[in-house]
Amino acid sequence: MSLDWIYYAISWILLRWHDLWDTIGIPDGPVLGTNWSWILSIVFLVVTLRVILFPVFVKQIKSQRAMQALQPKVKLLQEKHKGDRETLQKEMMELYKVEKANPLMGCLPMFLQIPVFLGLFHVLRRLSPTNSQQTLYGWTVEQFDSATHASLFTAPLASKFGSSATELQLLGANGVTVKIIAGILVLTMMATTYLTSRQMILKTGWAEDPQQKMIQRLMLYGIPLSLLVSGSLFPIGVVIYWVTNNLFSLGQQQWVLRKFPPPPMANAKAGSTPARSNGSNGTKPGAKGPQSPVRSGRTGGLFGRKAAAEPEPKSPVVDTKALAPKPGAKPVNPKKGARPANKPQG
């Protein structure tokens, strides 16, 4: 299957933004060794695609809420079919089918962005002075030549951390500068990828379903670590796209999670029973004392700040002198309350 339609679509969006910045008057030439018109074109390519995919992101959040609501039923199935993995998976698939929940919906936005990433990777990789097909995918010769020499702090957008000496010579780039700029961007890409996944897990909690939990761990640890190797093969322009996309995701997720907060049960510890409100004091029905409304563990913002627990009520001070028997008082039998003890005979 040909992916030319993706290459044409990515090129069209990229070039339209570049034309806009050129019309506004942002210089196409380098300022501080950076061609800002092309950098902004890549940044707003991300904005365009994320606006288009926003309905899909909302569906992802709704799907995650549905999966969280099913966690009690999933836990019951796990206890019922403990040791029988095949039956457990069959019952869980049936549960998802009946409740119309899709455990893979949480990864859908990421899967939809893979073709975009591959398209941009292919388009930027073509930027070379020796490329004879300069007008492919709707480019003009002037646009192709401008993009080929575009750079970020003198590091060409088409260069990468692992560029060979021949590639660097063709692009007229300094190898040390390229490695420094590309290395910083790759590390930033890894960090923001980790923080994007961590932000969602902090807000929604770890899944009870082993399959879902495995996907969460893969997204939290596996993908950022894999970028340490694969990131050296990405052109600097692609890494800029990835970092911008992650930053956009962090802001978008924060907004959506504030507007549509997850249910309280998603952040409760496994095996704990959430307190039910009984009026304005937030106590359990029949409870002997007030229950703390603060959840245990880490909550709150992106970096998991600890929740500030309310101060525990102080125990009343007991005056031991007031409770001590007065001199000359008759001893009291504790078993008979306040009745005086029998006088000894004789």
Side-chain angles (χ1 to χ4, degrees):
M1 180 179 178
S2 175
L3 297 178
D4 283 355
W5 66 273
I6 295 179
Y7 306 148
Y8 274 102
I10 296 300
S11 295
W12 188 86
I13 297 173
L14 190 67
L15 294 175
R16 297 295 76 76
W17 278 114
H18 181 263
D19 290 342
L20 176 63
W21 305 129
D22 187 51
T23 303
I24 291 175
I26 294 179
D28 199 31
V31 177
L32 299 177
T34 303
N35 297 83
W36 295 107
S37 58
W38 285 107
I39 300 296
L40 289 174
S41 298
I42 294 174
V43 169
F44 279 84
L45 169 66
V46 174
V47 174
T48 304
L49 296 172
R50 293 308 297 262
V51 169
I52 295 173
L53 293 176
F54 185 76
V56 179
F57 181 77
V58 174
K59 287 185 179 181
Q60 175 196 19
I61 296 296
K62 290 181 178 180
S63 176
Q64 289 174 340
R65 297 294 184 268
M67 292 298 297
Q68 291 163 13
L70 290 177
Q71 292 309 307
K73 294 182 179 180
V74 171
K75 193 171 183 181
L76 288 176
L77 287 176
Q78 291 173 342
E79 294 175 354
K80 181 180 178 181
H81 302 291
K82 190 175 183 180
D84 190 353
R85 188 174 184 84
E86 183 177 352
T87 304
L88 174 62
Q89 292 295 330
K90 184 178 179 181
E91 291 288 337
M92 288 177 61
M93 290 299 105
E94 185 66 23
L95 175 65
Y96 295 150
K97 183 178 179 181
V98 172
E99 299 292 341
K100 297 180 180 180
N102 187 355
L104 298 179
M105 181 60 73
C107 301
L108 183 59
M110 182 183 69
F111 289 148
L112 290 178
Q113 291 184 69
I114 290 177
V116 178
F117 171 81
L118 294 177
L120 184 63
F121 180 86
H122 177 77
V123 168
L124 293 183
R125 189 179 58 177
R126 296 181 60 255
L127 298 178
S128 172
T130 59
N131 191 345
S132 59
Q133 296 179 321
Q134 298 182 356
T135 58
L136 196 61
Y137 309 135
W139 291 65
T140 65
V141 175
E142 293 77 12
Q143 289 170 334
F144 187 90
D145 184 67
S146 174
T148 299
H149 295 90
S151 59
L152 174 65
F153 300 120
T154 71
L157 298 183
S159 64
K160 50 187 179 291
F161 186 89
S163 292
S164 64
T166 303
E167 292 173 336
L168 293 173
Q169 184 177 5
L170 290 173
L171 293 170
N174 182 282
V176 175
T177 302
V178 168
K179 288 189 181 300
I180 292 174
I181 299 299
I184 293 174
L185 286 173
V186 169
L187 292 177
T188 305
M189 177 176 63
M190 293 173 60
T192 52
T193 301
Y194 170 79
L195 291 175
T196 302
S197 299
R198 187 169 185 264
Q199 180 191 50
M200 184 64 72
I201 294 174
L202 283 176
K203 291 291 185 180
T204 60
W206 287 97
E208 295 286 345
D209 180 11
Q211 182 181 3
Q212 281 289 100
K213 196 169 185 178
M214 181 182 66
I215 294 175
Q216 286 180 321
R217 290 188 180 278
L218 175 63
M219 295 182 66
L220 183 61
Y221 302 113
I223 294 179
L225 287 176
S226 67
L227 294 176
L228 184 62
V229 178
S230 59
S232 63
L233 304 177
F234 297 159
I236 286 178
V238 173
V239 181
I240 293 173
Y241 167 87
W242 194 306
V243 171
T244 306
N245 187 63
N246 287 343
L247 294 175
F248 194 98
S249 296
L250 287 171
Q252 183 176 262
Q253 286 179 177
Q254 186 70 15
W255 179 82
V256 171
L257 291 171
R258 282 181 179 272
K259 192 172 181 63
F260 306 103
M265 60 172 290
N267 287 318
K269 280 188 174 182
S272 62
T273 304
R276 295 181 180 178
S277 175
N278 184 24
S280 59
N281 58 355
T283 60
K284 290 183 181 180
K288 293 183 180 180
Q291 302 292 327
S292 174
V294 181
R295 294 190 298 261
S296 60
R298 293 180 178 268
T299 59
L302 178 62
F303 296 97
R305 295 173 294 178
K306 291 185 178 179
E310 293 184 355
E312 297 182 1
K314 296 182 179 180
S315 302
V317 179
V318 179
D319 190 352
T320 55
K321 292 183 179 181
L323 297 179
K326 296 180 179 180
K330 294 181 179 181
V332 179
N333 187 349
K335 295 183 179 180
K336 296 184 179 182
R339 293 175 58 187
N342 295 331
K343 295 181 179 180
Q345 296 181 358

